Amino acid sequence: GTDTHIGKTYITAGLLTAFHAKSYSTIALKPVASGCWLTPEGLRNEDALILQKQASVKLPYSLINPIAFEHPIAPHIAAQQENITLTAELINEHCKKIMRYSADIILIEGVGGWFTPLNKQQTMADAVKLINANVILVVGMRLGCLNHALLTYHALLSASINFSGWIANCIDPAMDCLAENIQTLIEKIAAPLLGIVPFGKPAEEFINIDLLM
């Protein structure tokens, strides 16, 4: 994602539904989640529960969200407060556990933006490199998104990441010049636009997964 609160879970759930409609089996996980609440079964995160429910292959919550923090703060700070060592290697190990299960599609939702810190040296970008996943960039369409989107795009290019495309998620229904902003990104991002998701509409109806296959 280009930032936090730009609809990564909403888009991931839409992708799951779109893949289901074409008879693909799916797994989705959110390896790191801040902002969890305590239940008798342990910490739970709303976004991770959505992914667990939407995926066609049903797995235990501990596999869907193995690293959970109660406070809704940056994960590296939450980890420090709880004396947990959060690393790209740890995230990769959890993702490899999921990849042992059989599914046509595995979706991994990131935490925050591309350079969200994990510790003093590593960021989410380091975890993605280790996982060696194809990246779908979710762009939250709002004022300031052009800078965020292009910075992230060029960071992806410089890291030689497998970049599958981007999705324009229209999170601000009152955004001025929405079409012009999207056109600017189309001209500047050399990767497929996988969909333009209108505010409040089912994401799966506006994402072209055929461009991913």
Side-chain angles (χ1 to χ4, degrees):
T2 49
D3 204 344
T4 191
H5 298 306
I6 50 82
K8 292 187 298 296
T9 302
Y10 173 68
I11 296 299
T12 304
L15 284 165
L16 289 169
T17 302
F19 282 119
H20 293 172
K22 296 209 172 185
S23 300
Y24 292 103
S25 61
T26 58
I27 292 172
L29 66 153
K30 187 179 177 78
V32 182
S34 298
C36 304
W37 68 90
L38 189 60
T39 74
E41 293 78 30
L43 288 172
R44 294 292 183 267
N45 174 266
E46 182 179 6
D47 294 345
L49 288 171
I50 290 171
L51 300 185
Q52 183 186 37
K53 180 180 178 180
Q54 291 295 110
S56 65
V57 178
K58 303 305 178 184
L59 296 176
Y61 184 87
S62 60
L63 288 174
I64 304 302
N65 175 215
I67 306 169
F69 301 114
E70 184 172 0
H71 299 297
I73 56 179
H76 73 295
I77 298 174
Q80 289 172 4
Q81 292 182 353
E82 298 185 26
N83 295 315
I84 293 172
T85 303
L86 180 60
T87 66
E89 291 77 15
L90 177 63
I91 293 172
N92 183 43
E93 286 302 313
H94 284 303
C95 289
K96 287 199 299 189
K97 292 177 185 177
I98 283 282
M99 293 173 187
R100 296 172 189 152
Y101 291 83
S102 178
D104 298 317
I105 303 293
I106 299 176
L107 297 177
I108 304 169
E109 182 184 333
V111 55
W114 181 246
F115 283 134
T116 294
L118 300 177
N119 52 53
K120 290 183 178 179
Q121 289 81 34
Q122 295 178 315
T123 69
M124 195 62 201
D126 295 296
V128 177
K129 292 173 193 175
L130 281 178
I131 297 166
N132 194 30
N134 294 340
V135 170
I136 298 171
L137 177 63
V138 180
V139 179
M141 299 304 300
R142 62 187 178 196
L143 185 63
C145 70
L146 297 182
N147 181 58
H148 290 165
L150 294 175
L151 283 172
T152 306
Y153 168 60
H154 285 286
L156 289 167
L157 289 183
S158 66
S160 299
I161 294 295
N162 299 317
F163 184 33
S164 295
W166 62 285
I167 295 171
N169 187 26
C170 303
I171 58 175
D172 179 3
M175 183 181 183
D176 290 331
C177 302
L178 174 62
E180 291 86 347
N181 277 270
I182 292 173
Q183 183 59 39
T184 298
L185 292 177
I186 289 172
E187 293 170 0
K188 292 184 176 295
I189 295 177
L193 171 58
L194 304 174
I196 301 171
V197 180
F199 180 81
K201 299 294 184 179
E204 61 272 15
E205 296 181 6
F206 300 92
I207 300 172
N208 185 359
I209 61 169
D210 290 335
L211 295 173
L212 296 168
M213 307 310 293

